[in-house]
Amino acid sequence: VEGFDRTRLWPLGVKRTAKMSGCKTSFADPSWGGWERDCFHVLGFDVMFDEGGKAWLLEVNCNPSMAIDTVYPGEVPPDLPRLHEGIEALVGEAMGHVRGKGVRVCKCTAHHRPHLHRPCPIDLAAKHSCVNGALSIIHRDYVARKQQAAVSSSELVEGLRYDVICSEAPAA
Protein backbone atom coordinates (compact mmCIF):
# COMPACT_ATOMS: atom_id res chain seq x y z
CA VAL A 1 0.00 0.00 0.00
CA GLU A 2 1.44 3.34 -1.02
CA GLY A 3 2.71 5.30 1.97
CA PHE A 4 2.44 2.33 4.37
CA ASP A 5 5.39 2.16 6.75
CA ARG A 6 5.63 -1.42 8.04
CA THR A 7 8.36 -0.44 10.51
CA ARG A 8 5.70 1.39 12.53
CA LEU A 9 4.01 -1.94 13.28
CA TRP A 10 6.76 -2.84 15.76
CA PRO A 11 7.17 -0.96 19.06
CA LEU A 12 10.35 1.07 18.86
CA GLY A 13 12.82 0.80 21.70
CA VAL A 14 11.09 -2.14 23.37
CA LYS A 15 13.62 -3.93 25.55
CA ARG A 16 11.43 -6.54 27.24
CA THR A 17 7.78 -7.21 27.94
CA ALA A 18 6.00 -9.76 30.11
CA LYS A 19 5.08 -11.75 26.99
CA MET A 20 8.66 -11.72 25.68
CA SER A 21 10.58 -12.43 28.88
CA GLY A 22 13.50 -13.97 26.95
CA CYS A 23 13.83 -11.03 24.57
CA LYS A 24 16.52 -8.62 25.78
CA THR A 25 17.15 -6.64 22.61
CA SER A 26 14.99 -4.18 20.75
CA PHE A 27 13.61 -5.14 17.34
CA ALA A 28 15.75 -2.40 15.80
CA ASP A 29 18.96 -4.07 17.04
CA PRO A 30 21.22 -5.04 14.08
CA SER A 31 21.77 -8.52 15.54
CA TRP A 32 18.21 -9.43 14.51
CA GLY A 33 19.29 -9.06 10.88
CA GLY A 34 16.61 -8.90 8.16
CA TRP A 35 14.28 -11.26 10.03
CA GLU A 36 11.06 -9.42 9.16
CA ARG A 37 11.52 -10.18 5.47
CA ASP A 38 11.67 -13.92 6.15
CA CYS A 39 8.77 -14.17 8.60
CA PHE A 40 5.01 -13.96 8.66
CA HIS A 41 2.37 -13.64 11.35
CA VAL A 42 -1.13 -15.10 11.26
CA LEU A 43 -3.81 -12.60 12.32
CA GLY A 44 -7.45 -13.41 12.93
CA PHE A 45 -9.99 -10.93 11.55
CA ASP A 46 -13.47 -11.28 13.04
CA VAL A 47 -16.08 -9.82 10.72
CA MET A 48 -19.86 -9.68 10.67
CA PHE A 49 -21.94 -9.27 7.55
CA ASP A 50 -25.02 -7.06 7.54
CA GLU A 51 -28.24 -7.66 5.57
CA GLY A 52 -26.70 -5.99 2.50
CA GLY A 53 -23.66 -8.26 2.54
CA LYS A 54 -21.28 -5.53 3.75
CA ALA A 55 -18.52 -6.83 6.06
CA TRP A 56 -17.93 -5.02 9.36
CA LEU A 57 -14.65 -5.55 11.18
CA LEU A 58 -15.30 -6.54 14.80
CA GLU A 59 -11.76 -7.18 16.01
CA VAL A 60 -8.31 -8.32 14.99
CA ASN A 61 -6.68 -11.11 17.00
CA CYS A 62 -2.89 -11.33 17.11
CA ASN A 63 -3.02 -14.97 18.27
CA PRO A 64 -6.15 -16.50 16.72
CA SER A 65 -7.37 -19.93 17.70
CA MET A 66 -6.69 -22.66 15.19
CA ALA A 67 -9.32 -24.89 16.80
CA ILE A 68 -11.88 -26.35 14.42
CA ASP A 69 -14.38 -27.60 16.95
CA THR A 70 -17.36 -26.21 18.79
CA VAL A 71 -18.84 -27.41 22.07
CA TYR A 72 -22.41 -28.70 22.33
CA PRO A 73 -23.72 -28.93 25.91
CA GLY A 74 -25.37 -32.25 26.69
CA GLU A 75 -24.99 -35.61 25.05
CA VAL A 76 -26.70 -35.07 21.69
CA PRO A 77 -25.53 -32.35 19.31
CA PRO A 78 -28.15 -30.47 17.30
CA ASP A 79 -28.65 -31.42 13.67
CA LEU A 80 -26.57 -29.33 11.31
CA PRO A 81 -28.20 -27.66 8.32
CA ARG A 82 -27.50 -29.24 4.92
CA LEU A 83 -23.90 -28.51 4.02
CA HIS A 84 -22.14 -28.14 0.69
CA GLU A 85 -20.60 -31.53 -0.12
CA GLY A 86 -17.05 -30.14 0.06
CA ILE A 87 -17.65 -28.79 3.58
CA GLU A 88 -19.47 -31.99 4.53
CA ALA A 89 -16.37 -33.97 3.51
CA LEU A 90 -14.16 -31.68 5.63
CA VAL A 91 -16.49 -32.16 8.63
CA GLY A 92 -16.39 -35.94 8.17
CA GLU A 93 -12.60 -35.97 7.94
CA ALA A 94 -12.23 -33.66 10.96
CA MET A 95 -14.59 -35.71 13.13
CA GLY A 96 -11.79 -38.13 14.02
CA HIS A 97 -9.52 -35.29 15.15
CA VAL A 98 -11.77 -33.52 17.68
CA ARG A 99 -11.83 -34.41 21.35
CA GLY A 100 -13.90 -37.55 21.96
CA LYS A 101 -14.13 -38.11 18.18
CA GLY A 102 -17.35 -36.07 18.31
CA VAL A 103 -19.30 -38.92 19.89
CA ARG A 104 -17.95 -39.40 23.44
CA VAL A 105 -19.25 -37.13 26.18
CA CYS A 106 -16.47 -34.90 27.51
CA LYS A 107 -15.99 -33.15 30.86
CA CYS A 108 -13.09 -30.87 29.99
CA THR A 109 -13.00 -27.20 31.01
CA ALA A 110 -14.40 -25.99 27.66
CA HIS A 111 -17.85 -26.14 29.26
CA HIS A 112 -19.03 -26.48 32.87
CA ARG A 113 -21.34 -29.42 32.10
CA PRO A 114 -20.86 -32.66 30.15
CA HIS A 115 -20.65 -31.85 26.45
CA LEU A 116 -19.58 -33.01 22.99
CA HIS A 117 -16.91 -31.54 20.74
CA ARG A 118 -17.91 -31.51 17.05
CA PRO A 119 -16.20 -29.98 14.02
CA CYS A 120 -17.53 -26.49 13.25
CA PRO A 121 -18.30 -26.15 9.52
CA ILE A 122 -17.62 -22.39 9.54
CA ASP A 123 -14.23 -22.77 11.26
CA LEU A 124 -13.32 -25.65 8.97
CA ALA A 125 -14.14 -23.72 5.80
CA ALA A 126 -12.39 -20.51 6.87
CA LYS A 127 -9.36 -22.00 8.58
CA HIS A 128 -8.76 -24.71 5.97
CA SER A 129 -8.68 -22.07 3.24
CA CYS A 130 -6.47 -19.67 5.23
CA VAL A 131 -3.95 -22.16 6.55
CA ASN A 132 -3.75 -24.08 3.27
CA GLY A 133 -3.23 -20.82 1.39
CA ALA A 134 -0.56 -19.59 3.83
CA LEU A 135 1.32 -22.89 3.57
CA SER A 136 1.07 -22.76 -0.23
CA ILE A 137 2.63 -19.28 -0.22
CA ILE A 138 5.45 -20.45 2.06
CA HIS A 139 6.11 -23.47 -0.15
CA ARG A 140 6.15 -21.40 -3.34
CA ASP A 141 8.55 -18.91 -1.77
CA TYR A 142 10.78 -21.73 -0.48
CA VAL A 143 10.97 -23.36 -3.92
CA ALA A 144 11.73 -20.04 -5.61
CA ARG A 145 14.50 -19.20 -3.14
CA LYS A 146 16.00 -22.67 -3.51
CA GLN A 147 16.11 -22.11 -7.29
CA GLN A 148 17.43 -18.58 -6.66
CA ALA A 149 14.51 -17.19 -8.64
CA ALA A 150 12.86 -13.86 -7.96
CA VAL A 151 9.13 -14.19 -7.34
CA SER A 152 6.69 -11.35 -6.65
CA SER A 153 3.99 -11.30 -4.01
CA SER A 154 1.41 -11.41 -6.80
CA GLU A 155 2.95 -14.62 -8.14
CA LEU A 156 3.02 -16.16 -4.65
CA VAL A 157 -0.74 -15.66 -4.19
CA GLU A 158 -1.78 -16.55 -7.75
CA GLY A 159 -4.76 -18.92 -7.74
CA LEU A 160 -5.31 -18.55 -3.99
CA ARG A 161 -7.94 -16.58 -2.09
CA TYR A 162 -5.37 -13.99 -1.06
CA ASP A 163 -4.79 -10.39 -2.08
CA VAL A 164 -1.48 -8.56 -1.87
CA ILE A 165 -2.02 -5.66 0.55
CA CYS A 166 1.56 -4.51 1.06
CA SER A 167 4.24 -3.49 -1.42
CA GLU A 168 7.20 -5.77 -1.95
CA ALA A 169 9.69 -6.00 0.92
CA PRO A 170 13.12 -4.60 0.04
CA ALA A 171 15.67 -7.22 -0.93
CA ALA A 172 18.40 -7.93 1.60
Side-chain angles (χ1 to χ4, degrees):
V1 176
E2 182 117 6
F4 175 75
D5 181 8
R6 66 187 177 94
T7 61
R8 293 184 54 98
L9 291 173
W10 296 104
L12 300 176
V14 170
K15 296 290 183 199
R16 183 187 295 214
T17 71
K19 289 186 176 183
M20 302 183 314
S21 57
C23 180
K24 297 178 182 173
T25 58
S26 84
F27 291 123
D29 190 289
S31 65
W32 284 88
W35 64 272
E36 66 273 272
R37 190 189 80 249
D38 296 327
C39 299
F40 72 94
H41 188 112
V42 175
L43 299 172
F45 291 80
D46 292 350
V47 296
M48 183 179 289
F49 294 93
D50 64 19
E51 305 84 28
K54 181 177 180 179
W56 294 88
L57 179 64
L58 301 177
E59 68 178 351
V60 179
N61 300 298
C62 66
N63 189 20
S65 168
M66 292 296 170
I68 57 165
D69 67 331
T70 191
V71 173
Y72 292 102
E75 297 182 17
V76 180
D79 290 331
L80 292 174
R82 177 100 172 96
L83 301 172
H84 179 277
E85 67 182 50
I87 299 299
E88 202 167 296
L90 279 175
V91 170
E93 184 180 333
M95 186 67 85
H97 300 286
V98 297
R99 188 182 299 242
K101 310 278 187 222
V103 294
R104 285 197 312 266
V105 176
C106 182
K107 294 181 182 176
C108 75
T109 58
H111 195 275
H112 63 284
R113 293 194 174 132
H115 55 275
L116 292 171
H117 292 261
R118 300 292 299 262
C120 174
I122 294 170
D123 278 345
L124 276 169
K127 292 173 182 177
H128 181 270
S129 179
C130 291
V131 172
N132 186 46
L135 291 175
S136 295
I137 291 169
I138 292 167
H139 177 73
R140 291 172 182 181
D141 187 54
Y142 173 78
V143 169
R145 286 174 185 238
K146 196 170 181 177
Q147 297 172 349
Q148 298 180 342
V151 60
S152 70
S153 296
S154 297
E155 291 170 307
L156 290 174
V157 302
E158 189 176 320
L160 301 173
R161 295 178 179 172
Y162 283 75
D163 291 321
V164 177
I165 59 169
C166 194
S167 61
E168 300 291 325

